Amino acid sequence: QVRLVESGGGLVQPGGSLRLSCTASGNIFSIYTMGWYRQAPGKERELTAMITMNGSIRGGGNTNYADSVKGRFSISSDNAKNTVYLQMNNVKREDTGVYYCNADLSGGSKWYMRGEHWGQGTQVTVFS
């Protein structure tokens, strides 16, 4: 009853830019955080960037980045649209992977149930 839909993946050359989007929809009471995780071939899924949403006790807009993307990637959100964006600049080959959207929220079949939800993933391939 909660769905995360990603878009914006594709092919990009080293040094190029790409923008990912993810929108949460369905029976949502409150969203606490939204973020992006990357899974490279043969590796585990790891955090790329995360942002607090208006449902967080810390308030919306607090961000956290993996060291490998600091200064190159930027995460932002539109709380009214339940949407998070990942602006990827100066991409490198090691940024290649499937990017999954994640949301920590309350909702679903019971409005008070809190849990993590995942999107289906979007492929980003950096090639030259």
Side-chain angles (χ1 to χ4, degrees):
Q1 297 201 1
V2 172
R3 188 181 180 202
L4 301 184
V5 178
E6 303 114 329
S7 63
L11 300 175
V12 60
Q13 292 185 327
S17 297
L18 211 58
R19 190 190 195 209
L20 308 183
S21 300
C22 171
T23 297
S25 62
N27 186 28
I28 297 171
F29 174 70
S30 185
I31 303 179
Y32 307 103
T33 66
M34 293 187 75
W36 294 93
Y37 286 71
R38 181 182 72 233
Q39 186 163 21
K43 296 189 177 182
E44 294 186 355
R45 196 175 298 185
E46 58 184 14
L47 176 69
T48 299
M50 182 175 289
I51 189 167
T52 58
M53 304 293 280
N54 283 349
S56 170
I57 194 171
R58 298 167 58 196
N62 295 283
T63 59
N64 184 32
Y65 295 92
D67 288 342
S68 62
V69 305
K70 286 180 180 177
R72 300 187 298 119
F73 291 9
S74 178
I75 189 169
S76 60
S77 62
D78 184 334
N79 283 269
K81 296 181 179 179
N82 291 341
T83 297
V84 64
Y85 307 95
L86 184 68
Q87 179 65 43
M88 306 169 64
N89 294 329
N90 190 23
V91 297
K92 303 177 180 180
R93 289 184 180 180
E94 52 263 40
D95 296 325
T96 293
V98 179
Y99 284 74
Y100 294 91
C101 180
N102 171 276
D104 176 11
L105 58 83
S106 295
S109 58
K110 295 179 174 58
W111 65 266
Y112 52 84
M113 292 293 291
R114 180 172 178 172
E116 287 195 33
H117 298 260
W118 293 90
Q120 79 286 354
T122 185
Q123 176 71 44
V124 172
T125 302
V126 183
F127 78 105
S128 58

